[in-house]
Amino acid sequence: MVFEPVTLMAIVGAALFGLFVGAVPGLTATMATALLVPVTFFMPPIPAIAAMVTATAMAIFSGDIPGCLLRIPGTPASAAYTDEAYAMTRKGQAETALGAGLVFSAVGGLFGTVVLILAAPTLAEFALNFSSFEYFWLVLLGLTCAIFITADKPLKGLVTLLLGLLVACVGLGNPAGHPRFTLGNAELMGGIGMIPMMIGMFAISEVIRYVVDTSPPAELVVEKVGNVLKGQWQLAKRYPVQILRGSTLGTAVGALPGAGADIAAWMSYAMSKKFSKEPQKFGTGHVEGIVESGAANNSALAGAWIPALVFGIPGDSITAIVIGVLYMKNMNPGPTLFTTNPQNIYAVFLLFILANLVMVPLGLLCIKVAKRILQVPRNVLMPLILLFCLVGTFAINNSIFDVGIMLAAGVVAYVLEANRFPIAPAILGVVLGGMLEENFITSMIKSNGDLTAFFMRPIAAGLAVATLLVWFLPPLLRLLRGRRPIAA
């Protein structure tokens, strides 16, 4: 399935596309995934997933290139160590910085894939014991984690989450089939299309941002990049603990709903500095932070697929888009996917391994032509992206209404991000809102309206306790800290 010509062509095509999108400042890995959705509509399931997996892995790595050469991160996941990489470039060490980003991204990606292969089937077996009570608490815990992890100010995260949940309510209400928030429009009876909304929030918002931005283009510091693999083996021998720590943290953070590669990279860079023997060198062009964060951001990609495949709960905004594609291809995520279509799951595992192996030779090629990519005029690129979004969104359902939703979502996302509201909780709210409501209603019908039934089953009770602790522990600790007497 993986080595069929159509799948291999999808991998190579998506890899080149992902490398290009990641290397152009401002075009994110999530945007690359969103732009691929209309294309995957015409593909068989495995090539479609292959395109998604490969493009995102490549885009996360190639975001390091403009960060290193221009001091503008290509993707948010590269922002954590952009200053470090640029400082190395100013010292004449651009090859080392780019090589570390490439090699340790591939290593981190392979580590995350191994964890995905080992953890997902075991979790799926465990998840077969889940009923609507467990799923209700699991979705609620996922939504709660998304607020606390992704936002510096949890209140802003809560606002965007509630906005996402409101969007999820649009359509025929569950279970009575009563129209909600449709404003008498028949097009809204089926709800707001998730794919047009995703494309709008991640691609159209970027086009608007470019139109509004008046800052001059950055200048390239390096004329020519030499051999980037030179000295990477010495770095691997010098920082084995950092590589393992970054990969482990990245996978763990990726598996948390709504976190994603950018959070993993920031946390990993901070941890690298905290435990380093030479913390004073950080910020002056020290490769240690790049090694650890580079491993973290790519391992987070595979980690995010664990809850997505097993429970249908996205680990990040990329897997939120992928879940929509999985449903479109009749590969409904959940524990039964592992029993009814095990060959598809093994194909996904193989695709992850292949994507991370292909990253090294194609990444080298991308670094070599980086100067050309970075000189592509944005005023040519952005109208092409807009055209691609319009055509792709229309093609999904042949609906002008979907195009309107996409444009409206783009404007909303731009306004939210301009005011520092995180987008990830909103996406999670849209994806999980229906699932939350469905499991709540089903549980209430089963228990005849008895709320105590949500705490009766052992796994449900455990998840309930975990969710309530996340809710009430921080304010309780703050209250206790406030009451503690100050020492004289």
Side-chain angles (χ1 to χ4, degrees):
M1 287 165 79
V2 172
F3 290 96
E4 280 183 1
V6 65
T7 312
L8 294 174
M9 280 169 62
I11 288 171
V12 174
L16 296 172
F17 170 71
L19 287 168
F20 176 77
V21 170
V24 175
L27 309 187
T28 64
T30 314
M31 181 181 171
T33 318
L35 287 173
L36 272 179
V37 171
V39 181
T40 59
F41 190 66
F42 306 100
M43 292 169 135
I46 299 305
I49 301 301
M52 294 284 191
V53 169
T54 312
T56 50
M58 299 294 166
I60 292 286
F61 148 68
S62 65
D64 296 354
I65 298 171
C68 184
L69 301 180
L70 293 175
R71 200 168 171 248
I72 305 171
T75 63
S78 311
Y81 47 91
T82 291
D83 284 342
E84 200 74 70
Y86 190 69
M88 288 183 74
T89 301
R90 298 302 291 263
K91 284 161 70 175
Q93 298 171 355
E95 288 89 355
T96 310
L98 287 166
L102 174 61
V103 172
F104 301 112
S105 283
V107 170
L110 289 169
F111 180 92
T113 305
V114 170
V115 175
L116 172 67
I117 292 167
L118 296 174
T122 314
L123 267 177
E125 208 173 305
F126 173 65
L128 286 170
N129 302 317
F130 278 33
S131 70
S132 56
F133 297 104
E134 284 81 6
Y135 270 110
F136 169 77
W137 286 114
L138 190 67
V139 172
L140 208 54
L141 182 61
L143 292 170
T144 307
C145 288
I147 298 168
F148 283 101
I149 294 164
T150 56
D152 296 333
K153 295 175 179 171
L155 187 61
K156 285 190 171 182
L158 180 63
V159 169
T160 51
L161 173 69
L162 291 174
L163 190 67
L165 289 172
L166 177 66
V167 170
C169 287
V170 175
L172 296 176
N174 181 12
H178 182 75
R180 291 186 303 197
F181 305 115
T182 58
L183 309 172
N185 190 325
E187 295 269 15
L188 287 172
M189 290 287 192
I192 289 175
M194 192 172 82
I195 302 299
M197 191 179 143
M198 296 280 189
I199 294 171
M201 291 189 100
F202 293 109
I204 299 298
S205 62
E206 206 55 59
V207 174
I208 297 170
R209 201 169 290 115
Y210 167 72
V211 171
V212 173
D213 187 22
T214 54
S215 56
E219 290 295 316
L220 271 169
V221 175
V222 178
E223 282 301 311
K224 192 169 179 286
V225 179
N227 179 15
V228 297
L229 294 181
K230 191 181 174 186
Q232 296 307 317
W233 177 242
Q234 281 75 16
L235 285 180
K237 286 196 290 187
R238 189 177 170 188
Y239 300 119
V241 175
Q242 284 82 346
I243 297 164
L244 183 64
R245 193 168 59 206
S247 302
T248 309
L249 179 75
T251 310
V253 171
L256 292 168
D262 42 342
I263 305 291
W266 280 106
M267 286 176 73
S268 187
Y269 184 78
M271 189 182 277
S272 184
K273 189 175 181 179
K274 188 175 168 81
F275 292 108
S276 174
K277 290 174 183 171
E278 324 169 282
Q280 72 282 0
K281 287 188 178 179
F282 277 70
T284 63
H286 187 46
V287 78
E288 187 179 346
I290 298 171
V291 168
E292 189 161 338
S293 302
N297 61 19
N298 262 63
S299 62
L301 288 181
W305 279 69
I306 298 170
L309 287 175
V310 178
F311 303 112
I313 294 174
D316 58 5
S317 47
I318 292 168
T319 41
I321 298 168
V322 170
I323 283 173
V325 174
L326 287 171
Y327 277 116
M328 208 160 63
K329 299 295 176 190
N330 288 325
M331 281 176 64
N332 295 5
T336 51
L337 183 60
F338 290 77
T339 52
T340 53
N341 287 312
Q343 73 281 7
N344 287 352
I345 288 294
Y346 290 117
V348 170
F349 294 160
L350 265 175
L351 289 170
F352 265 99
I353 295 169
L354 206 56
N356 285 292
L357 292 176
V358 166
M359 186 192 291
V360 177
L362 289 178
L364 285 171
L365 179 72
C366 185
I367 289 168
K368 289 291 177 195
V369 297
K371 195 177 172 190
R372 296 273 172 85
I373 294 172
L374 294 170
Q375 285 171 344
V376 171
R378 301 287 291 283
N379 55 351
V380 172
L381 192 63
M382 286 301 178
L384 282 174
I385 287 170
L386 180 60
L387 182 69
F388 193 68
C389 292
L390 292 168
V391 173
T393 303
F394 179 78
I396 294 169
N397 293 316
N398 287 347
S399 166
I400 287 289
F401 187 76
D402 282 354
V403 174
I405 283 177
M406 176 196 72
L407 295 171
V411 172
V412 170
Y414 170 74
V415 171
L416 286 172
E417 288 197 313
N419 292 286
R420 297 184 176 272
F421 281 86
I423 293 296
I427 299 298
L428 221 64
V430 174
V431 175
L432 297 180
M435 199 173 167
L436 182 74
E437 183 181 29
E438 189 185 321
N439 286 300
F440 178 73
I441 298 287
T442 307
S443 302
M444 290 299 278
I445 291 168
K446 275 199 254 181
S447 65
N448 209 14
D450 182 13
L451 285 169
T452 57
F454 283 91
F455 302 89
M456 290 301 182
R457 293 163 62 95
I459 300 171
L463 289 167
V465 168
T467 307
L468 295 171
L469 278 175
V470 173
W471 284 5
F472 296 114
L473 201 59
L476 205 68
L477 288 172
R478 209 172 291 125
L479 197 71
L480 290 170
R481 216 174 281 131
R483 283 189 173 181
R484 195 175 293 156
I486 299 163

